[in-house]
Amino acid sequence: MLARPFASPLDSRLWPAGICAADGLRLLSDLNGLPDESALATTLLESPWLSVHLLAACGASDEPPLTALRNACQRAGRDLLAAWAMLSTATLDDLSPARLAQYAGFNQHTRGVARVARALAQRSGLADPDHAYLAGLWHNLGQFVLAARHAGYPGPVTDARETTLVAGEQRQYGEHHAAVGAALARTASAIPLLPEAIELHHAPEAFMRGMPGLPRVLRAAVEAAAGNVAGVEFASRLLAITHEQARDALGAFDDGGTITLPAPGAVAFELAMTSAQGMIRAAFSEVTDTTRRERLGIACTLLCGRGAPWVMRQGEDSSLMLVSDLSVSPSPVNGVPRSDDSSGMRAADSGQRIVVAPDFAGAGADWLLARQLGATRLEFIPWHAGVAAGVAVFAHAGDVREDANDLQLLRTIVGNALGAHERARIQKLAIRTARESARHAEQQAARKVAHEVSNPLSVLGNYLSVIQREQGSAAPELARQLALMQAEIGRAQRLVKTLGQPAPAREIPGATRVNEILQDLRMLYEESLFSRRNIALQMQLAPDLPAVGVEADALRQVILNLLLNAAEAIGEHGGSVRVSSSCDLNFDDRPWVEIRVKDDGPGLPRTKDDRLELPHATSKTAPHSGVGLAVSRELVQQAGGHLLCRSREGAGTTFSILLPLAI
């Protein structure tokens, strides 16, 4: 079975119209007035309905409630939260003043129980106070579900004893609000024992004595919140605290103040929908692909109770392909065949929503897709975004509600999410095309430069060959120096040939002898770079140094760059450059070869030392470009090594090349 990208936690049919009307208006006000998500999370934690829905839509976690709500606010974004709050207010005109007052009274009572639970947890030390508060806030949410499922249910009840209420519900409806509320809590929080505490908040005192701390604290809070002596004594006995401590905890019941009721009929649905559509569009704009995909699931859950959809997109051959991420190109999922008679194809072709319960009489593709998504029914919502088109697939375990408002919202959510995704994809494609065009132009220019440079290098190489043939036999030392010069010209020619060519695939580097390269460079450049400037070049090379895993040409280029920098730093006033090699360093439990180039020049100011890895960061004047050190660092890193610099103004500079041994 395919993993669902998001859970489908709360079906909107579980909630009577108008449950969140008052809280929705309050949330709209808070979104405009509160400065950050922390403050917003604090006010959300006062609403049973808003908190359970938002946390369930964003996925249950075991984080502290306030932290979980703050993170959920950040993930959903203020635009999406505003759309949710705006649409919730549209149910106000479905409520009588008496019914709205009943909902407000329920919220008032539930918040009071939550505060008493927190106070009891603090006084008894038996549970985390924040966990106890959340358990109290959610303990009676199951009553709303029963009110939606059963027409005769009287609605939220706050003045009946829990044991009597639960027993009556079980007799009349075959289920009770405590168990239903525990199931809701599991979708919204992974805090240990939170669902169990909610399910047991009506259990007998003797039974609860063997329970862990959180269930006991909530059970005590429910009794204490009744506000009578019996309830206080119950809490005192169950939690083993004094009568005074239990009575003091009861004082927290009224700390939250009263709830102001909004006027019924405050917002018409058409106006709320128009406002919400603009907010939904903003929620998916200017965000990353990951955020956009996440918000698609959150929006479908909060606004429509659907959970996150799977997205199917038409490929170049017009067939539909299932994709699990908006940020990747369409690719078929294993086991889901392409089929022209599938419901997804029919929905895409007709532009109409299609709901099917796949069986052997229908398309095989529908049946297989339903099995892989763990669904008994599939809902296909077509979408179009520019030239791209497809369907969003919602997996359902039961009946699918037929609601024109839901359908309008789903089309708005899916259309805006996929439209923003397509616009971002096209923008990325345009940027990539522009970069490739610029890279191609650079390669063409580099090829011209390479052609012009290679000609004089070839001429120099030919002249050196002629001199070597004519003079080499009479002067062996000269012949060796000429051979080294020809090798350097050959290296320059190979470097020039790489200009304008794509970077080759990296291969395992060969084994290079460090000391041999250092000695060759000394023979070639000691006179021209150092002796003529009155600079002493000293070398201290470790004998029997193992080979390193870097190409010889690359290492020669790096060391030569460092020698050139050292000579130019010292200048014409004279000084010394010391080069050493060793294999005394152990790093990551393996030996490394270290090459040091140390000069006694003026050193580097701190600001220059900090910028050495950047191209064009140099303290030298024109015509020096300052790219040598950046190139050297890149070459060393490509070999798996490190280039380090230690410098102090007025005390010289030391470069260390750390290289892994050859494999």
Side-chain angles (χ1 to χ4, degrees):
M1 182 182 296
L2 296 176
R4 294 281 296 150
F6 294 90
S8 179
L10 298 174
D11 191 326
S12 58
R13 290 172 296 174
L14 299 180
W15 305 92
I19 179 179
C20 67
D23 287 340
L25 285 179
R26 183 177 180 183
L27 177 57
L28 276 177
S29 175
D30 290 340
L31 285 168
N32 292 326
L34 296 178
D36 55 38
E37 275 59 36
S38 295
L40 186 59
T42 300
T43 191
L44 284 172
L45 199 53
E46 296 181 356
S47 166
W49 189 90
L50 294 178
S51 58
V52 75
H53 269 69
L54 183 57
L55 290 180
C58 293
S61 76
D62 60 357
E63 296 175 319
L66 195 61
T67 301
L69 279 171
R70 182 179 65 246
N71 293 338
C73 290
Q74 292 172 342
R75 291 166 62 191
R78 292 200 167 210
D79 292 310
L80 188 55
L81 292 176
W84 178 38
M86 175 62 71
L87 289 168
S88 72
T89 64
T91 61
L92 281 170
D93 54 3
D94 296 333
L95 298 176
S96 66
R99 194 65 162 171
L100 190 57
Q102 186 183 29
Y103 287 139
F106 170 80
N107 272 357
Q108 191 82 24
H109 174 78
T110 302
R111 291 165 59 200
V113 172
R115 290 191 291 271
V116 171
R118 179 167 54 195
L120 288 173
Q122 291 169 337
R123 285 160 175 77
S124 68
L126 293 176
D128 184 295
D130 292 334
H131 295 178
Y133 176 89
L134 191 63
L137 191 69
W138 290 355
H139 81 283
N140 265 348
L141 281 174
Q143 290 190 31
F144 286 108
V145 179
L146 295 185
R149 288 178 180 173
H150 309 289
Y153 193 83
V157 178
T158 61
D159 56 357
R161 287 186 57 82
E162 286 289 343
T163 53
T164 304
L165 179 62
V166 166
E169 292 169 346
Q170 188 67 40
R171 284 194 306 270
Q172 187 168 356
Y173 307 116
E175 59 183 350
H176 59 80
H177 73 275
V180 173
L184 291 178
R186 288 187 179 91
T187 69
S189 177
I191 292 175
L193 296 177
L194 181 66
E196 290 78 8
I198 292 174
E199 188 166 2
L200 295 174
H201 76 267
H202 64 93
E205 179 181 354
F207 179 82
M208 293 303 299
R209 290 189 182 281
M211 287 294 124
L214 184 57
R216 288 165 60 193
V217 167
L218 178 58
R219 182 68 184 94
V222 169
E223 288 295 326
N228 52 45
V229 175
V232 172
E233 292 178 347
F234 182 100
S236 175
R237 292 192 306 270
L238 186 59
L239 302 183
I241 59 177
T242 66
H243 182 89
E244 288 72 20
Q245 287 176 314
R247 187 183 58 201
D248 290 345
L250 177 60
F253 186 92
D254 294 322
D255 287 351
T258 59
I259 296 177
T260 302
L261 299 179
V267 182
F269 181 81
E270 292 76 11
L271 176 60
M273 176 64 78
T274 301
S275 300
Q277 286 175 335
M279 298 168 185
I280 292 169
R281 187 179 305 111
F284 292 110
S285 301
E286 305 298 329
V287 295
T288 65
D289 288 337
T290 300
T291 299
R292 189 176 297 115
R293 176 177 180 269
E294 186 175 46
R295 286 184 181 174
L296 174 60
I298 294 173
C300 290
T301 301
L302 283 180
L303 306 185
C304 307
R306 289 299 204 278
W310 284 77
V311 176
M312 299 185 77
R313 177 174 174 167
Q314 288 183 314
E316 295 181 358
D317 59 354
S318 297
S319 61
L320 287 173
M321 293 174 286
L322 186 64
V323 295
S324 59
D325 194 325
L326 297 180
S327 64
V328 299
S329 300
S331 58
V333 171
N334 292 336
V336 180
R338 303 180 184 185
S339 175
D340 291 338
D341 65 343
S342 69
S343 298
M345 285 296 297
R346 291 191 292 113
D349 292 340
S350 66
Q352 301 296 316
R353 167 182 175 264
I354 292 178
V355 178
V356 295
D359 54 26
F360 291 159
D366 291 348
W367 185 91
L368 189 56
L369 182 59
R371 290 303 178 273
Q372 292 204 331
L373 296 182
T376 61
R377 285 170 174 78
L378 297 176
E379 182 181 21
F380 298 89
I381 304 294
W383 59 267
H384 294 272
V387 297
V391 292
V393 186
F394 293 88
H396 298 273
D399 294 337
V400 182
R401 184 172 69 169
E402 300 292 334
D403 187 294
N405 294 334
D406 275 359
L407 180 57
Q408 184 178 357
L409 275 173
L410 285 174
R411 287 183 179 274
T412 298
I413 293 167
V414 172
N416 279 285
L418 273 296
H421 170 69
E422 287 300 316
R423 289 191 295 273
R425 187 182 65 84
I426 292 172
Q427 184 179 23
K428 291 177 182 177
L429 180 61
I431 293 173
R432 184 166 62 249
T433 301
R435 287 176 177 173
E436 290 175 353
S437 178
R439 189 180 302 113
H440 178 72
E442 291 174 355
Q443 289 176 346
Q444 291 296 104
R447 288 191 183 101
K448 293 180 181 179
V449 172
H451 177 73
E452 296 300 323
V453 173
S454 63
N455 289 335
L457 288 177
S458 297
V459 172
L460 286 174
N462 291 334
Y463 269 109
L464 288 176
S465 297
V466 172
I467 295 173
Q468 190 175 19
R469 284 197 304 270
E470 294 179 352
Q471 305 293 333
S473 58
E477 182 60 24
L478 175 61
R480 185 166 181 270
Q481 293 181 359
L482 290 173
L484 288 174
M485 293 175 64
Q486 282 187 309
E488 287 297 291
I489 290 175
R491 185 173 70 87
Q493 288 177 316
R494 290 191 295 274
L495 287 174
V496 167
K497 286 182 180 179
T498 63
L499 293 176
Q501 300 297 326
R506 291 188 61 186
E507 300 177 353
I508 298 176
T512 298
R513 298 290 176 181
V514 172
N515 288 349
E516 292 180 4
I517 290 180
L518 292 173
Q519 290 166 348
D520 288 347
L521 290 175
R522 180 175 190 171
M523 178 173 290
L524 276 173
Y525 297 106
E526 182 174 17
E527 174 64 25
S528 59
L529 279 182
F530 301 105
S531 298
R532 292 182 181 179
R533 302 184 183 188
N534 197 28
I535 300 173
L537 177 61
Q538 305 168 2
M539 285 196 175
Q540 185 176 356
L541 309 182
D544 302 323
L545 197 67
V548 294
V550 61
E551 294 297 335
D553 283 351
L555 182 57
R556 186 177 286 106
Q557 182 178 351
V558 171
I559 298 173
L560 180 56
N561 281 338
L562 298 183
L563 292 175
L564 286 169
N565 284 338
E568 291 170 354
I570 294 174
E572 303 295 336
H573 304 294
S576 64
V577 173
R578 291 182 291 280
V579 180
S580 63
S581 65
S582 66
C583 191
D584 301 329
L585 180 66
N586 276 281
F587 181 64
D588 286 342
D589 295 327
R590 55 176 175 156
W592 293 66
V593 167
E594 180 181 14
I595 307 167
R596 287 190 182 183
V597 178
K598 176 178 175 58
D599 67 66
D600 59 1
L604 294 170
R606 181 62 183 168
T607 54
K608 296 293 191 300
D609 190 14
D610 291 339
R611 299 170 58 241
L612 283 179
E613 73 274 11
L614 301 176
H616 311 297
T618 179
S619 58
K620 296 177 283 188
T621 58
H624 301 291
S625 64
V627 299
L629 288 176
V631 171
S632 298
R633 187 182 297 273
E634 182 178 353
L635 290 173
V636 172
Q637 289 175 344
Q638 287 176 356
H642 305 276
L643 179 60
L644 309 177
C645 174
R646 295 186 298 275
S647 185
R648 189 172 62 186
E649 191 170 3
T653 301
T654 300
F655 280 95
S656 294
I657 307 170
L658 307 181
L659 295 170
L661 303 189
I663 298 176

